[in-house]
Amino acid sequence: MKTFTKWAFRWHGYLGIGSGLFFLLLGISGSLLIFRHDLDRLMNPNIYHRPAQGPIISADSAYRVVAEAFPDLAKIVLHDFPLSSNEPYEFMLYRQVHRPYDNHLGFAFVDSHSGVIIRQGNYEELGGSFFRWMYNLHYSFLLGPIGQAAVAIVGILLLLTILSGLVVYRKYLFKVFLFQVPLQKNGRRRLSSLHRILGVWSAFFNLLLLITGIWMNIPAFQQVFSSKVTIYPQGSYLAKVNLDGLLAYCKIAAPGFEPIAINIPKENDGDILVRGHLPTTDFCLFNGKASHFAFNPITGVCRDKLDIDQADFSKKISWAVYQLHIGAFGGYFLRCIYALIGLTPAILTLTGGYLWYKRKKKR
């Protein structure tokens, strides 16, 4: 057993040093993204706190402004409706890409009164929008689908780092949980005990984040190794139906339905999805835009309704995994916990790296 522990200790060090920078990067960026909606509004008053002048334009009008301004997109998503008369419509723009490392995401903000595009950009540009750039960094290292696959691989390495650490410190697990392991007073011993205590206490949460993150990025492998390239027709595609009519239908068909986003495909053979929250959905992990109505983009006929409570297991687990990863199923208290524990990888990376350096230097 001692040989196995030594082996686990050695590989815990190798994995920690080899993937520590990524652990640091993912931990800090993930904690910031927990509050990105609030911080984004705080940092960009010229976008989110514009003076209200006249009536708010319709969602359909805002969509057509974007569709005409960006004629060669793969998909347009009305990502956020205005939360007040001072806020804009936000659109997520899916660009056509032909290489697996190209970023496909862009954004556009449309003033909710004048209908003017007040800011546009791409997710890989730091100057366009810091938190959208951070989102792209966290989920794909700014490298498109191939970056998403890389994040999943790094996640597996980090997963092994935690598991090897639990093997090394297995005798201390219950003692740490029972507060029987004191924080030492002097230099290296203090860092060592801090590393041990913090690592044990945050292990379950970090395992949860890593497993859900890996799960979310697995589809990227199919995109990277797929030889299929979708060719979209050139020119602007405008949906034939009025989006506001679709929103009105949803609210009549399901009183209390809260629309959150609208997905509009490039071609006529895809459905327009009005995604949102049904009033009958109570389970916290099904919060957000888990349910949807699907409409024919030409006739506006409702083809399907997905109630997440009635969906198959794969859809339920996929949405629950997503919610568990981003921490959006609770209030500010839960998000604060996510953010604080999300910073533990950064502390563990720094303390572990320092201890490894001191041990190597001593030899």
Side-chain angles (χ1 to χ4, degrees):
M1 196 65 183
K2 288 184 178 180
T3 302
F4 180 70
T5 301
K6 288 182 179 180
W7 180 87
F9 183 80
R10 184 182 301 115
W11 278 100
H12 180 69
Y14 291 156
L15 289 167
I17 294 300
S19 57
L21 177 62
F22 297 104
F23 218 175
L24 184 71
L25 185 66
L26 293 175
I28 293 175
S29 60
S31 291
L32 282 174
L33 288 172
I34 291 288
F35 295 102
R36 74 184 185 102
H37 293 291
D38 304 276
L39 294 174
D40 202 19
R41 282 165 169 76
L42 182 65
M43 294 171 59
N44 295 284
N46 58 326
I47 292 178
Y48 292 103
H49 303 286
R50 296 173 64 81
Q53 297 178 347
I56 294 180
I57 64 172
S58 67
D60 188 77
S61 298
Y63 154 69
R64 295 183 189 281
V65 168
V66 172
E68 290 175 358
F70 303 94
D72 298 318
L73 298 172
K75 183 171 69 173
I76 295 176
V77 175
L78 201 175
H79 190 264
D80 281 316
F81 290 86
L83 297 180
S84 71
S85 60
N86 302 104
E87 292 198 356
Y89 288 97
E90 180 184 349
F91 289 84
M92 184 178 282
L93 314 177
Y94 287 73
R95 301 182 299 176
Q96 299 185 50
V97 295
H98 303 289
R99 296 173 299 184
Y101 51 82
D102 286 339
N103 172 65
H104 66 286
L105 289 178
F107 65 88
F109 292 98
V110 177
D111 187 282
S112 58
H113 298 276
S114 66
V116 173
I117 296 177
I118 53 179
R119 184 180 293 184
Q120 59 180 308
N122 300 316
Y123 274 54
E124 76 269 25
E125 298 172 346
L126 178 57
S129 169
F130 174 75
F131 285 102
R132 283 150 194 81
W133 176 85
M134 182 69 71
Y135 173 92
N136 197 12
L137 177 69
H138 183 80
Y139 286 105
S140 70
F141 295 143
L142 308 175
L143 291 173
I146 199 169
Q148 288 181 267
V151 169
I153 293 171
V154 168
I156 294 171
L157 295 177
L158 297 176
L159 188 66
L160 294 174
T161 305
I162 294 177
L163 292 176
S164 61
L166 290 176
V167 171
V168 172
Y169 297 120
R170 63 188 182 280
K171 294 181 180 179
Y172 295 93
L173 294 180
F174 288 107
K175 290 182 179 180
V176 169
F177 287 132
L178 295 174
F179 300 99
Q180 294 178 355
V181 177
L183 191 63
Q184 301 296 325
K185 295 182 179 181
N186 61 338
R188 183 176 169 182
R189 286 176 175 269
R190 185 179 184 86
L191 275 181
S192 180
S193 59
L194 174 65
H195 187 82
R196 182 187 305 125
I197 293 169
L198 197 60
V200 170
W201 269 106
S202 63
F204 173 77
F205 183 84
N206 284 320
L207 284 172
L208 176 68
L209 289 180
L210 288 170
I211 292 170
T212 53
I214 293 167
W215 178 291
M216 289 163 57
N217 277 3
I218 284 177
F221 288 96
Q222 183 178 358
Q223 298 179 52
V224 170
F225 295 107
S226 174
S227 59
K228 181 181 178 181
V229 176
T230 303
I231 304 298
Y232 295 97
Q234 296 297 308
S236 178
Y237 167 71
L238 290 173
K240 301 293 190 295
V241 297
N242 186 291
L243 299 186
D244 296 286
L246 305 185
L247 291 171
Y249 175 92
C250 296
K251 292 179 180 179
I252 293 173
F257 175 73
E258 178 189 354
I260 297 175
I262 306 177
N263 293 19
I264 307 108
K266 174 71 177 182
E267 297 178 289
N268 290 332
D269 57 355
D271 290 333
I272 294 177
L273 301 182
V274 178
R275 304 178 63 191
H277 182 79
L278 288 166
T280 53
T281 300
D282 295 323
F283 184 43
C284 63
L285 292 182
F286 292 162
N287 283 345
K289 48 189 176 184
S291 300
H292 71 244
F293 289 84
F295 295 92
N296 184 300
I298 299 175
T299 64
V301 173
C302 184
R303 288 175 170 172
D304 186 31
K305 172 189 173 184
L306 173 69
D307 182 343
I308 190 63
D309 288 324
Q310 307 301 323
D312 59 48
F313 178 76
S314 64
K315 288 186 174 63
K316 287 182 176 179
I317 194 67
S318 294
W319 190 255
V321 163
Y322 173 71
Q323 291 288 78
L324 279 171
H325 188 77
I326 67 173
F329 57 93
Y332 277 100
F333 180 72
L334 179 65
R335 283 196 278 168
C336 285
I337 292 175
Y338 259 70
L340 289 173
I341 302 182
L343 289 174
T344 58
I347 301 173
L348 291 170
T349 298
L350 295 173
T351 56
Y354 179 79
L355 291 170
W356 179 86
Y357 170 74
K358 284 292 186 181
R359 192 176 296 110
K360 294 291 288 186
K361 189 177 179 181
K362 188 176 181 180
R363 290 178 183 176

